[in-house]
C-alpha cells in the first residue's frame, strides 16, 4: 500500500519555532517531523511513499533523496503553484489503483495502520478518516457518526454547536481509488470541504475511532507538548499493538453529580474537580474510559438518542476544560419488570451490568488493555465488584476522597500510597 504525505505546508502559525524550513522539516531533537512519520510507518512494513511538496520543497528532497537511507522508496510531486490540501492528488489518478494512506505532514503519531486499514475495508467506504478526542474540541472540526461508523455530519470551527461528542479528524485518511472521481481536473481543492465532506450525503465517508497518539504541530505550544511526549516515550506507547492501561470511571456520582436516575440533560453537572482529574489521566498515559449502568433505557425513561445527547454534554463540558474521555461504555439493561413504558428487549439478565465485568472486558478487548495495570474508580460497591471481577485494582469514592484526589494518588504512586480506607480490592 502506498503512503501519500502532504508535505507542502508553510506553517505560518508555527513559524516562530523555525521559519527556515517547511513545516514537515521542523526538527524535534535533531530529527524532522517527516522522519518520525516515515520511521513509524516503515516499522509496520510500509515502503512506498509519495511526498507532495511545495514551499521550500527542495529542503525535503535534499534530506530524504530517494529514501534508500531509510530502506524505503520515495518519489515527489512538486506543486508549482499552491493547490490547497488536496488538489495535487489529481496527479495520482492514473497511478494508484488500490487503497492508500493519506496523511498530513505536520503530525506526530504512532498508530496501528493494520487496524485502520481493516476498519476501512469493513466499512467499504470511499474514504475513512481516523478520529480521536482531543483537548481543544471547541476550536476543532467535530465529526458526527452513527453507531456503524458512517459519518452523518461535520461541524467546522465556525459552525454553531451545543453538545457534541468530542471526536475530531486526526489527519490520517484511508482512501480507496474511487476518490479520484472527485478530481476531474487540476485545480486548488480543500481536502475536508471539497472532497471528504461531500461524501457524507451518499454515505461514503466512514470513521475509524482510536485513542492512539496523534497530535498536530500547528502552534508553538503544541510543538513543545509533542516534543516532551516524544522524549518521554509516550508516543509509541499508545500504539494499540502495545498493551494499554486504563482508568475506568463510573459516571453518576463520580464524573457528574448524583441526582438519582438522570433523565433530564439539564440536571447533568460535573462533580468538582472532575475535569482536572480527567485531564490528569489524559496526560498520564492511561486511557480514560467511562463504565456506566443506564437502566433508564430499559425502564423507558430515556431513549438511546437522549442518552447519547447526555453523553455529548458530558464530553462537551469536559472538553471546555481541556479534558477528554477515550470511550464510553454503558449497559442499557435492567432485569426487573413492571415499569410503565419499559422496553422488553432490554429486560434481561446480562453480563455487562455492574457488578458484572462485561463492559470492562469489552473495553479490554477493544483497546488491548492490561487489566492488572488498570484501575476501576467509582462510588458504589457494584463499581468495585466489577473492577475486581475484571482483574483491575479498585478505588471507592466513599465521601472521604474526591475523584481528583483519587486520581492524584493513583498517578503519584498507585496502591502503595493509597489508604486502606479508600481502596477496596
Amino acid at each position: 500500500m502506498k503512503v501519500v504525505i502532504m508535505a507542502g505546508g508553510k506553517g505560518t502559525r508555527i513559524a516562530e519555532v523555525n521559519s527556515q524550513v517547511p513545516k514537515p522539516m521542523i526538527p524535534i531533537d535533531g530529527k524532522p517531523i517527516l522522519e518520525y512519520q516515515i520511521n513509524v510507518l516503515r516499522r509496520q512494513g510500509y515502503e512506498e511513499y509519495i511526498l507532495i511538496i511545495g514551499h521550500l520543497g527542495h529542503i525535503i528532497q535534499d534530506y530524504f533523496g530517494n529514501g534508500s537511507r531509510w530502506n524505503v522508496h520515495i518519489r515527489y510531486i512538486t506543486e508549482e503553484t499552491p493547490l490547497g490540501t488536496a488538489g495535487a492528488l489529481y496527479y495520482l489518478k492514473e497511478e494508484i489503483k488500490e487503497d492508500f494512506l493519506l496523511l498530513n505532514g505536520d503530525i506526530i503519531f504512532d498508530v496501528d495502520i493494520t487496524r485502520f486499514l481493516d476498519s476501512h475495508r469493513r466499512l467499504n467506504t470511499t474514504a475513512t478518516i481516523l478520529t480521536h478526542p482531543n483537548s481543544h474540541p471547541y476550536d476543532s472540526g467535530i465529526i458526527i457518526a452513527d453507531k456503524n461508523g458512517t459519518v452523518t455530519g461535520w461541524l467546522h470551527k465556525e459552525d454553531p454547536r451545543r453538545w457534541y461528542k468530542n471526536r475530531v479528524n486526526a489527519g490520517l485518511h484511508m482512501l480507496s481509488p474511487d476518490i479520484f472521481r472527485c478530481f476531474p481536473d487540476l485545480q486548488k481543492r480543500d481536502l475536508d470541504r471539497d472532497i471528504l465532506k461531500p461524501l457524507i450525503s451518499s454515505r461514503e465517508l466512514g470513521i475509524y475511532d482510536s485513542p492512539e497518539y496523534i497530535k498536530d504541530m500547528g502552534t508553538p505550544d503544541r510543538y513543545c507538548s509533542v516534543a516532551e511526549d516524544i522524549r518521554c516515550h509516550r508516543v509509541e506507547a499508545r500504539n494499540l499493538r502495545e498493551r494499554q492501561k486504563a482508568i475506568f470511571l463510573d459516571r453518576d456520582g463520580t464524573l457528574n453529580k448524583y441526582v438519582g436516575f438522570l433523565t433530564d440533560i439539564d440536571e447533568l453537572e460535573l462533580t468538582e474537580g472532575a475535569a482536572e482529574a480527567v485531564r490528569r489521566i489524559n496526560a498520564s498515559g492511561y486511557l480514560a474510559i467511562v463504565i456506566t449502568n443506564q437502566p433508564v433505557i430499559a425502564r423507558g425513561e430515556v431513549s438511546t438518542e437522549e442518552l447519547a445527547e447526555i453523553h455529548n454534554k458530558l464530553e462537551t463540558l469536559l472538553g471546555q476544560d481541556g479534558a477528554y474521555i477515550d470511550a464510553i461504555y454503558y449497559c442499557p439493561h435492567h432485569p426487573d419488570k413492571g415499569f410503565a413504558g419499559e422496553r422488553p428487549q432490554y429486560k434481561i439478565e446480562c453480563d455487562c451490568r455492574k457488578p458484572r465485568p462485561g463492559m470492562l472486558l469489552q473495553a479490554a478487548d477493544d483497546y488491548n488493555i492490561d487489566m492488572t495495570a488498570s484501575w476501576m474508580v467509582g462510588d458504589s460497591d457494584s463499581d468495585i465488584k466489577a473492577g475486581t471481577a475484571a482483574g483491575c485494582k479498585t478505588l471507592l469514592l466513599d465521601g472521604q476522597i474526591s475523584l481528583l484526589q483519587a486520581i492524584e494518588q493513583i498517578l503519584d504512586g498507585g496502591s502503595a500510597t493509597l489508604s486502606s480506607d479508600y481502596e477496596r480490592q
Side-chain angles (χ1 to χ4, degrees):
M1 188 177 72
K2 288 182 170 62
V3 177
V4 180
I5 303 179
M6 305 300 292
K10 289 185 177 182
T12 52
R13 293 183 300 166
I14 200 174
E16 66 184 73
V17 174
N18 190 326
S19 62
Q20 306 305 309
V21 297
K23 183 162 55 170
M25 292 299 291
I26 292 176
I28 299 176
D29 291 346
K31 187 187 300 183
I33 297 166
L34 195 51
E35 186 170 354
Y36 283 100
Q37 295 184 335
I38 290 173
N39 283 339
V40 164
L41 295 168
R42 179 63 186 87
R43 287 197 300 270
Q44 297 185 49
Y46 297 95
E47 300 176 349
E48 296 291 325
Y49 297 82
I50 301 170
L51 304 188
I52 297 176
I53 59 176
H55 175 69
L56 300 177
H58 64 280
I59 296 175
I60 296 176
Q61 285 187 283
D62 291 345
Y63 186 89
F64 287 99
N66 65 6
S68 58
R69 188 170 138 207
W70 291 268
N71 294 318
V72 300
H73 180 264
I74 298 175
R75 78 175 189 86
Y76 302 88
I77 293 175
T78 302
E79 293 182 346
E80 300 300 337
T81 58
L83 292 170
T85 55
L89 294 181
Y90 172 85
Y91 293 117
L92 303 176
K93 290 183 67 167
E94 303 305 319
E95 175 181 349
I96 296 182
K97 304 299 182 184
E98 60 182 5
D99 294 332
F100 66 100
L101 177 66
L102 174 69
L103 59 115
N104 300 340
D106 64 343
I107 54 176
I108 289 292
F109 66 93
D110 202 325
V111 170
D112 185 344
I113 301 300
T114 298
R115 281 185 178 233
F116 187 13
L117 180 59
D118 288 346
S119 178
H120 170 66
R121 289 176 173 167
R122 283 195 302 272
L123 287 167
N124 194 30
T125 49
T126 298
T128 304
I129 56 179
L130 196 152
T131 60
H132 67 157
N134 75 9
S135 60
H136 52 98
Y138 45 81
D139 69 357
S140 303
I142 297 295
I143 307 299
I144 303 168
D146 65 20
K147 62 182 180 180
N148 298 316
T150 301
V151 177
T152 58
W154 189 319
L155 300 176
H156 293 286
K157 289 185 287 187
E158 66 274 15
D159 292 332
R161 58 181 78 175
R162 191 179 186 194
W163 312 129
Y164 51 83
K165 185 177 177 67
N166 179 352
R167 288 300 181 271
V168 305
N169 184 0
L172 280 77
H173 318 81
M174 201 66 72
L175 306 178
S176 84
D178 289 343
I179 198 72
F180 292 117
R181 74 173 191 271
C182 302
F183 298 87
D185 52 17
L186 181 63
Q187 62 174 281
K188 186 175 183 179
R189 285 186 168 88
D190 181 85
L191 179 63
D192 292 352
R193 297 173 188 269
D194 298 332
I195 306 301
L196 297 178
K197 194 172 181 180
L199 296 175
I200 296 174
S201 61
S202 53
R203 301 183 63 81
E204 294 180 83
L205 183 62
I207 64 164
Y208 168 67
D209 195 59
S210 173
E212 292 167 292
Y213 191 103
I214 311 159
K215 288 188 180 179
D216 71 76
M217 315 287 287
T219 66
D221 286 346
R222 291 178 197 167
Y223 169 85
C224 293
S225 173
V226 169
E228 179 63 19
D229 288 340
I230 288 174
R231 295 178 191 122
C232 295
H233 304 288
R234 296 185 188 118
V235 181
E236 63 268 28
R238 291 300 286 268
N239 187 305
L240 289 178
R241 294 185 176 193
E242 305 294 330
R243 294 286 274 169
Q244 303 298 305
K245 55 184 181 178
I247 296 179
F248 298 103
L249 301 167
D250 174 51
R251 197 193 79 178
D252 300 316
T254 301
L255 277 174
N256 55 276
K257 295 178 181 179
Y258 182 75
V259 294
F261 290 114
L262 177 59
T263 59
D264 182 351
I265 193 171
D266 292 334
E267 293 185 332
L268 186 140
E269 298 179 40
L270 296 180
T271 55
E272 185 176 356
E276 174 62 22
V278 175
R279 223 169 31 240
R280 287 286 307 271
I281 298 172
N282 298 151
S284 71
Y286 284 87
L287 299 175
I289 298 178
V290 173
I291 302 292
T292 179
N293 288 346
Q294 289 302 315
V296 290
I297 298 294
R299 289 157 58 108
E301 296 165 340
V302 170
S303 68
T304 54
E305 293 78 13
E306 288 168 333
L307 180 62
E309 190 70 355
I310 288 171
H311 287 158
N312 288 348
K313 180 178 179 180
L314 177 68
E315 294 207 40
T316 302
L317 295 178
L318 289 169
Q320 289 170 352
D321 283 328
Y324 57 86
I325 296 297
D326 291 293
I328 297 177
Y329 291 80
Y330 71 87
C331 170
H333 306 117
H334 190 266
D336 299 337
K337 300 179 181 180
F339 297 91
E342 66 184 24
R343 297 182 173 95
Q345 68 269 35
Y346 296 114
K347 308 301 289 187
I348 62 171
E349 292 283 353
C350 64
D351 293 326
C352 53
R353 179 174 167 81
K354 294 180 290 185
R356 292 181 176 176
M359 288 186 282
L360 291 92
L361 297 177
Q362 184 62 57
D365 185 59
D366 291 342
Y367 297 117
N368 192 22
I369 296 171
D370 179 357
M371 300 303 268
T372 64
S374 301
W375 290 80
M376 176 72 217
V377 179
D379 67 334
S380 73
D381 286 339
S382 68
D383 297 321
I384 303 310
K385 290 176 181 178
T388 300
C392 298
K393 295 182 280 291
T394 62
L395 196 152
L396 177 69
L397 304 180
D398 59 359
Q400 300 180 60
I401 182 172
S402 70
L403 176 60
L404 178 56
Q405 289 171 325
I407 299 305
E408 287 175 339
Q409 291 193 50
I410 289 172
L411 299 182
D412 291 344
S415 58
T417 62
L418 290 172
S419 164
S420 59
D421 290 338
Y422 298 150
E423 184 182 8
R424 295 185 183 179
Q425 294 295 345

